[in-house]
Amino acid sequence: MSAAQPVPLSVLDLATVSEGGTSAQALADTTELARAADRLGYERFWVAEHHNIDTVASTSPAVLIAHLAAHTKRIKLGSGGVMLPNHSPAVIAEQFAMLEALHPGRIDLGVGRAPGSDRISAAAVRGPAEDGSVPDPWQVDDFPSHLLDLMAYLGDVRMTDGPPLEFQATPQATSMPPVLLLGSSGYSAQLAGYLGLPFAFAHHFDGGGVLGAVDLYRQRFQPSMVLDEPYVMVSAGLVTAADSETARYHAAPSLLRRLGIRTGRFWPLLPPDEAMAHPEWQHAAAMPTNAIVGDPDEAVAGLEALAAATGAHELMVHTSTYGLAERITSLELLADAWSQRTSNGAADAAGTAAAPAGAS
């Protein structure tokens, strides 16, 4: 990260339903978090697509993005992401072309190839196969062609053969939302590079592989009408507070929930005291994680290290705590610390440039 071009920070949210909460409350909290991110100067605010999960209310990104755009002023809103195998490319193109027409220049279409659900839920979302069987949620052989169709419907036509394009996502468009490819593996990284699209790696999944994926993306990158050079975004789980102990306290519910997900047990997002009293808490606390948890200086240091290691052009933080207030505080403290670091870096750079020859 250079002082002249600081890495922008963005936010990813899942509209998490805490223990004892409701979908309505989770969506209201997401709205307030988006308003805070807008006020604090974050670059983007993305919401994800997940289905039939007790703790996630973000099931329809397009609907939620429309609501968030109406309640914010300048921040870019997007999907992190739309799971394309669940949908018709034409329908997604229409939804996001409409969002772009309503809020020009503020809409991102992040696309992923995972189901965002289990096998049965994916079948419910997609509908049965032509023979009536339950589709395999990981059978995504058609993903590249569906992605190309989606891009073409939004004006980025890559196919040089086949029948002429006869479908338009919206009449007389003045702008279209950018398409970004999301992933947590080398597959999506290589496809994004081949198509010359921005690539966002889901580092907050805690699954590893970020360095290999971004290297593959850069190796396979081909300039396109979208990008002349690679553009890498990396997400990170992050909780910060006034001091390290408080940050660890508020991160406890998400750490316990992460252990549950890894072991096939979808526990609720408990209050911190209950999470730390859980029978599995010691296992959760000892579990390796790439989440960044600490005071603002530690949070900034963790993000700087991630940016340096990956060469990311943009970082996206996912803050998961039991209460909304702690999420907003985390964004406030991080924004302030990141701004101060950028200002100090710029001042240091200016001082170095102004120093006379031979000065140390």
Side-chain angles (χ1 to χ4, degrees), residues 175-188:
S175 63
M176 285 293 185
V179 175
L180 307 94
L181 195 56
L182 283 56
S184 57
S185 70
Y187 178 96
S188 295

Side-chain angles (χ1 to χ4, degrees), residues 122-138:
V125 171
R126 301 177 191 179
E130 291 183 2
D131 60 3
S133 62
V134 177
D136 181 351
W138 297 104

Side-chain angles (χ1 to χ4, degrees), residues 10-349:
S10 295
V11 180
L12 172 67
D13 192 65
L14 306 185
T16 303
V17 182
S18 297
E19 172 74 350
T22 64
S23 293
Q25 185 60 56
L27 295 169
D29 288 352
T30 289
T31 303
E32 289 306 310
L33 195 66
R35 288 166 61 89
D38 191 26
R39 168 176 57 84
L40 293 166
Y42 285 87
E43 183 78 7
R44 312 172 199 268
F45 190 94
W46 280 6
V47 293
E49 176 186 343
H50 291 283
H51 301 282
N52 200 33
I53 299 176
D54 289 344
T55 55
V56 179
S58 179
T59 57
S60 179
V63 175
L64 186 49
I65 289 167
H67 173 77
L68 297 177
H71 287 79
T72 53
K73 295 180 179 178
R74 52 124 217 120
I75 196 167
K76 295 177 183 177
L77 286 309
S79 53
V82 165
M83 300 296 106
L84 188 56
N86 292 338
H87 311 283
S88 158
V91 170
I92 297 303
E94 286 184 325
Q95 290 174 351
F96 279 79
M98 180 179 287
L99 286 169
E100 175 69 16
L102 289 167
H103 306 281
R106 294 186 59 203
I107 304 300
D108 295 327
L109 175 49
V111 178
R113 69 185 184 103
S117 59
D118 56 46
R119 178 183 176 90
I120 302 302
S121 300
V125 171
R126 301 177 191 179
E130 291 183 2
D131 60 3
S133 62
V134 177
D136 181 351
W138 297 104
Q139 187 64 41
V140 290
D141 293 345
D142 294 331
F143 178 75
S145 63
H146 288 173
L147 177 62
L148 288 172
D149 287 343
L150 174 62
M151 292 164 57
Y153 297 149
L154 294 172
D156 186 354
V157 180
R158 304 294 183 93
M159 291 81 77
T160 57
D161 54 7
L165 189 67
E166 296 181 353
F167 179 87
Q168 57 181 356
T170 191
Q172 304 302 320
T174 55
S175 63
M176 285 293 185
V179 175
L180 307 94
L181 195 56
L182 283 56
S184 57
S185 70
Y187 178 96
S188 295
Q190 293 182 79
L191 182 59
Y194 177 75
L195 295 175
L197 298 176
F199 176 59
F201 186 88
H203 188 56
H204 72 285
F205 281 180
D206 231 350
V210 62
L211 298 182
V214 297
D215 283 348
L216 275 174
Y217 169 64
R218 292 189 173 97
Q219 292 169 17
R220 300 291 189 271
F221 183 83
Q222 299 182 24
S224 68
M225 64 179 291
V226 176
L227 286 177
D228 293 327
E229 298 179 348
Y231 191 88
V232 174
M233 300 168 63
V234 178
S235 65
L238 182 144
V239 176
T240 190
D243 57 76
S244 300
E245 183 178 355
T246 303
R248 289 192 293 270
Y249 175 78
H250 289 305
S254 64
L255 289 177
L256 180 66
R257 182 167 170 267
R258 184 166 298 180
L259 173 66
I261 291 172
R262 288 186 179 181
T263 56
R265 296 171 289 179
F266 290 89
W267 296 324
L269 192 67
L270 299 171
D273 287 336
E274 293 185 26
M276 297 173 77
H278 193 278
E280 296 283 351
W281 167 244
Q282 293 303 323
H283 291 142
M287 179 179 61
T289 177
N290 59 34
I292 300 169
V293 179
D295 64 30
D297 289 340
E298 291 170 321
V300 167
L303 289 177
E304 286 183 327
L306 181 61
T310 61
H313 301 86
E314 187 172 336
L315 296 172
M316 180 166 281
V317 298
H318 171 51
T319 298
S320 179
T321 62
Y322 177 78
L324 171 64
E326 293 75 38
R327 279 172 243 168
I328 291 179
T329 296
S330 195
L331 292 190
E332 289 174 340
L333 292 173
L334 177 61
D336 183 61
W338 197 253
S339 175
Q340 288 187 34
R341 188 268 172 232
T342 300
S343 298
N344 292 339
D348 291 345

